[in-house]
Amino acid sequence: MAGAVSALFLLDIKGRVLVWRDYRGDVSAKQAERFFTKLIEKDGDAQSQDPVVYDNGVSYLFIQHSNVYLMTASRQNCNAASLLFFLHRVVDVFKHYFEELEEESLRDNFVVVYELLDEMMDFGYPQYTEANILSEFIKTDAYRMEVTQRPPMAVTNAVSWRSEGIQYKKNEVFLDVVEHVNILVNSNGQIIRSDVVGALKMRTYLSGMPECKLGLNDRILLEAQGRSTKGKAIDLDDIKFHQCVRLARFENDRTISFIPPDGSFDLMTYRLNTQVKPLIWVEAQVERHSRSRVEILVKARSQFKERSTATNVEIELPVSSDASNPDVRTSMGSASYVPEDEALIWKIRSFPGGKEYMLRAEFTLPSITAEEATPERKAPIRVKFEIPYFTVSGIQVRYLKIIEKSGYHALPWVRYITMAEKSSGYTRITIRTLSPTIDLRRKLIGIHLSVNYHFFIN
């Protein structure tokens, strides 16, 4: 079993103790001063960026939010990742209560802060960190003590993340499949690393205590069922579930079964090793004809199938801050110079697959320059667009079943959202993709891919 936390400290930006809670009695308030001294020493070391400080037998783990440090001190061997995650959950709970976690909000709510710290950790072990559950019996005006106050059932039963008696007139579930695509490209344009980090984000508005079952196009599951996996299945790696998921059930038959919390939460995160290529490739050439004139030639090429079309394409080209008198010609769309952003904006309403368009622009530069001019920064080219009915990784929600003892009918909805980054010696791309909203009763609501690229000019 992992070690326990000795104490939790909330410090201001100068290291002074705002609030501290002693859980085991083996450390003192002086540990905060020792921690901050070590932290100042770490700030002077550019090689040390880890959130852990060790001094004289005490391990300190910390995060900073706004002008507040949240720090745990322990004399035992603790699970560092678990405690850092706990500190982030503490931040979420305080923001739920106080809107913003700052020094002022802590000073104004000492009573509530201590009550929350008592409930979120017991004898050094994390307990309840669901803000919705805590808010049912710890109010922002908690100093007005009520004699007959009972803790909610969620604190005393096995389903600590959901309260009983929840009722909705319309029972609905919204599931967003959100993916971050990371691409690493060398200076020759070759993709040397590509992966997808995804999350299943849910918003549930369900009455009672519903049982949900979710099925994905998981290769291991489909092979176990004897189904064909050619071109349809994906390999999920590094999966992490919300505490509501029954892990034993998943390990046995790969079924994701759970009683969901009320409201928004992350059901699971995962990683895919898959090859992803840029959907619109942009090449730019900058040529100086003289000290007073510069010409920019840009080629944009779509690298997806002809049956798909990118819409609302916006390409932002960086321009020198002292450029003027733009002369722009495009083979498609329109372009406008935005001097306050030091950029030329090229907009194309519709960009079919397999097409290439060009832009040529000339700018006038000042004929007199400083003898020791600073090197010109290489700002990225930014590309934004959407592709209807298009997804990247191929992950699919095969079914989402909702069962509740009262037998009500619930409406499940699924939407796919993909966000990505590509980087190299000369190219950095950020892809933001927003894809589908699908009713699981086979009614197509809408699928679209929204992309945001960043290209650095060579």
Side-chain angles (χ1 to χ4, degrees):
M1 185 175 183
V5 170
S6 298
L8 191 150
F9 293 82
L10 302 177
L11 312 175
D12 66 11
I13 201 67
K14 296 182 179 180
R16 293 172 295 197
V17 177
L18 300 173
V19 176
W20 82 289
R21 181 69 174 86
D22 185 6
Y23 292 106
R24 303 183 69 88
D26 56 356
V27 298
S28 65
K30 293 182 179 179
Q31 309 300 149
E33 182 178 347
R34 287 179 173 273
F35 158 75
F36 206 72
T37 301
K38 289 292 183 179
L39 181 63
I40 294 175
E41 294 176 1
K42 282 171 61 71
D43 288 342
D45 183 5
Q47 301 298 322
S48 181
Q49 300 293 331
D50 58 279
V52 180
V53 175
Y54 182 80
D55 177 61
N56 197 25
V58 180
S59 298
Y60 305 94
L61 288 90
F62 70 96
I63 64 173
Q64 181 181 359
H65 181 85
S66 186
N67 58 354
V68 176
Y69 285 100
L70 293 88
M71 181 267 289
T72 63
S74 176
R75 293 189 179 275
Q76 300 184 15
N77 185 17
C78 296
N79 186 324
S82 175
L83 290 182
L84 290 173
F85 180 74
F86 171 76
L87 291 178
H88 283 285
R89 293 305 301 266
V90 172
V91 171
D92 293 338
V93 170
F94 285 161
K95 290 174 68 175
H96 174 82
Y97 274 84
F98 314 137
E99 296 295 334
E100 291 294 336
L101 173 56
E102 296 179 350
E103 178 183 345
E104 182 179 356
S105 63
L106 291 176
R107 293 185 182 278
D108 292 342
N109 296 278
F110 273 131
V111 175
V112 179
V113 169
Y114 275 110
E115 288 194 29
L116 290 172
L117 293 180
D118 283 341
E119 295 296 335
M120 287 189 287
M121 181 167 280
D122 183 25
F123 200 54
Y125 294 99
Q127 301 294 314
Y128 307 106
T129 57
E130 296 288 341
N132 292 334
I133 300 301
L134 290 168
S135 61
E136 291 188 20
F137 64 102
I138 298 180
K139 310 295 183 182
T140 53
D141 55 350
Y143 53 86
R144 299 177 184 176
M145 298 297 294
E146 295 185 13
V147 178
T148 59
Q149 189 175 24
R150 291 181 57 196
M153 288 296 295
V155 175
T156 58
N157 65 15
V159 187
S160 63
W161 53 88
R162 185 178 181 90
S163 299
E164 294 184 352
I166 298 174
Q167 293 295 326
Y168 288 99
K169 291 183 178 179
K170 188 176 182 181
N171 294 284
E172 292 182 306
V173 175
F174 298 89
L175 174 61
D176 287 344
V177 182
V178 181
E179 293 185 343
H180 294 265
V181 181
N182 303 298
I183 306 174
L184 181 64
V185 181
N186 63 17
S187 58
N188 298 322
Q190 297 174 332
I191 298 176
I192 57 178
R193 184 177 64 82
S194 174
D195 60 40
V196 178
V197 179
L200 271 61
K201 298 179 177 290
M202 295 193 73
R203 287 179 295 135
T204 60
Y205 307 101
L206 299 173
S207 304
M209 299 291 283
E211 175 80 18
C212 298
K213 294 182 180 180
L214 177 70
L216 304 173
N217 56 334
D218 183 2
R219 186 181 304 277
I220 297 177
L221 174 60
L222 296 179
E223 289 178 349
Q225 295 175 345
R227 299 187 181 185
S228 173
T229 60
K230 185 177 181 181
K232 297 181 180 179
I234 59 174
D235 295 310
L236 296 175
D237 302 319
D238 298 340
I239 304 174
K240 184 180 72 173
F241 288 108
H242 187 273
Q243 60 178 327
C244 66
V245 176
R246 296 181 176 88
L247 297 180
R249 178 76 182 275
F250 180 78
E251 291 174 357
N252 289 334
D253 57 12
R254 304 287 286 191
T255 298
I256 303 175
S257 175
F258 58 98
I259 297 176
D262 186 49
S264 302
F265 68 101
D266 288 356
L267 178 64
M268 66 174 277
T269 59
Y270 59 91
R271 182 177 59 84
L272 297 174
N273 289 320
T274 183
Q275 192 75 7
V276 179
K277 68 177 182 179
L279 300 174
I280 291 184
W281 187 263
V282 177
E283 297 178 358
Q285 296 179 358
V286 179
E287 185 176 352
R288 292 180 178 270
H289 294 284
S290 64
R291 288 193 174 185
S292 61
R293 188 168 67 92
V294 63
E295 183 178 9
I296 303 175
L297 176 63
V298 180
K299 296 180 181 179
R301 182 175 68 255
S302 57
Q303 300 189 131
F304 47 87
K305 296 182 179 180
E306 295 181 0
R307 64 171 179 263
S308 298
T309 301
T311 59
N312 302 321
V313 179
E314 183 176 304
I315 303 174
E316 181 179 329
L317 307 167
V319 177
S320 177
S321 59
D322 53 2
S324 61
N325 301 325
D327 180 15
V328 184
R329 299 179 298 278
T330 64
S331 60
M332 178 63 67
S334 61
S336 59
Y337 177 46
V338 186
E340 59 270 22
D341 295 335
E342 299 179 12
L344 180 67
I345 308 298
W346 182 15
K347 294 183 179 180
I348 304 174
R349 180 173 298 180
S350 179
F351 201 141
K355 296 290 185 179
E356 180 177 291
Y357 298 127
M358 297 180 60
L359 174 144
R360 188 182 299 272
E362 292 186 7
F363 290 88
T364 301
L365 299 176
S367 57
I368 301 176
T369 59
E371 293 183 359
E372 297 182 358
T374 57
E376 186 177 356
R377 64 184 181 90
K378 292 185 177 180
I381 296 176
R382 297 180 174 88
V383 185
K384 301 178 183 179
F385 59 91
E386 299 176 357
I387 302 180
Y389 314 109
F390 193 92
T391 57
V392 175
S393 69
I395 188 171
Q396 295 177 1
V397 176
R398 295 172 48 238
Y399 61 84
L400 176 56
K401 298 178 181 179
I402 303 166
I403 304 171
E404 214 276 333
K405 60 183 180 181
S406 63
Y408 61 72
H409 178 65
L411 298 176
W413 305 86
V414 178
R415 182 175 61 172
Y416 299 83
I417 305 172
T418 304
M419 304 177 183
E421 289 191 2
K422 171 180 174 181
S423 59
S424 71
Y426 300 99
T427 309
R428 179 175 178 80
I429 302 179
T430 303
I431 309 175
R432 177 196 170 93
T433 37
L434 182 58
S435 8
T437 306
I438 303 176
D439 181 359
L440 292 181
R441 296 168 298 166
R442 299 182 181 276
K443 178 180 178 183
L444 181 64
I445 304 300
I447 306 175
H448 66 279
L449 176 72
S450 142
V451 183
N452 181 6
Y453 285 2
H454 289 190
F455 287 82
F456 277 108
I457 302 175
N458 187 355

